[in-house]
Amino acid sequence: IDILLDRRLEAEAILDSGCAFVAISKACWHNLGSPAMVQAALNYENADGVHSSSIGLIPNLRVSINGFQCILQVHVVDTPSFQILLGQPLFAITSCHSVHDRSGHVDLILTSPRTGKIWRVPTKTRRPAKCNHPDHHHHDNERGRERGF
């Protein structure tokens, strides 16, 4: 899904309900202006079994998802294959679930914990991993596309 970080940087997020944290690539962190992070390394195991550690933690990053606003604690990671990985904290905060139709399209349903308002967010085909400024254009890679979550 496409998201907006700190009201200024567009990025593509991958959703992973099995991941225990939210992460941002080091490249996106730099493109965001390197917001302050605390030295709180998180040791984790990738899906392919490789052990790694985060560089630090952005304690309060504003994230906008199709108009839905939230503040997340986000770990900065050095060499991911994603821009943003939205894991279990987002799912828990928003009671996030997915709706699938017969054509294979998937929408996410997010609920505001403060107001109860519900947002429906369409998913999309994943772009190649890079972090884009709002004024940069991107080109889809026709080969190797994945479903956007």
Side-chain angles (χ1 to χ4, degrees):
I1 60 175
D2 290 323
I3 65 173
L4 186 63
L5 301 172
D6 202 26
R7 297 182 177 139
R8 63 182 172 195
L9 181 68
E10 294 175 354
E12 183 179 53
I14 303 300
L15 286 111
D16 184 350
S17 63
C19 184
F21 58 96
V22 176
I24 185 172
S25 71
K26 186 177 179 183
C28 282
W29 174 70
H30 280 296
N31 288 342
L32 194 55
S34 304
M37 68 173 155
V38 295
Q39 298 303 316
L42 173 73
N43 297 318
Y44 60 94
E45 182 178 349
N46 293 332
D48 60 5
V50 175
H51 292 269
S52 196
S53 295
S54 66
I55 299 167
L57 174 72
I58 303 169
N60 294 300
L61 182 61
R62 182 177 303 280
V63 176
S64 177
I65 305 168
N66 204 35
F68 179 87
Q69 302 285 324
C70 60
I71 305 282
L72 296 172
Q73 293 184 349
V74 181
H75 289 273
V76 180
V77 293
D78 199 11
T79 56
S81 59
F82 54 82
Q83 296 171 8
I84 302 290
L85 178 71
L86 296 172
Q88 196 50 238
L90 176 78
F91 286 78
I93 291 168
T94 66
S95 301
C96 180
H97 65 279
S98 57
V99 177
H100 304 254
D101 69 21
R102 291 182 186 193
S103 70
H105 183 77
V106 180
D107 286 345
L108 298 174
I109 307 299
L110 307 173
T111 305
S112 170
R114 290 186 300 162
T115 67
K117 183 175 177 182
I118 296 173
W119 276 262
R120 189 174 189 121
V121 179
T123 63
K124 62 177 188 60
T125 302
R126 186 176 178 196
R127 294 187 305 259
K130 67 179 182 177
C131 204
N132 298 314
H133 284 281
D135 57 343
H136 289 180
H137 298 285
H138 63 271
H139 302 284
D140 283 342
N141 180 355
E142 292 297 325
R143 297 180 330 180
R145 290 176 139 189
E146 296 176 34
R147 196 67 183 142
F149 88 86

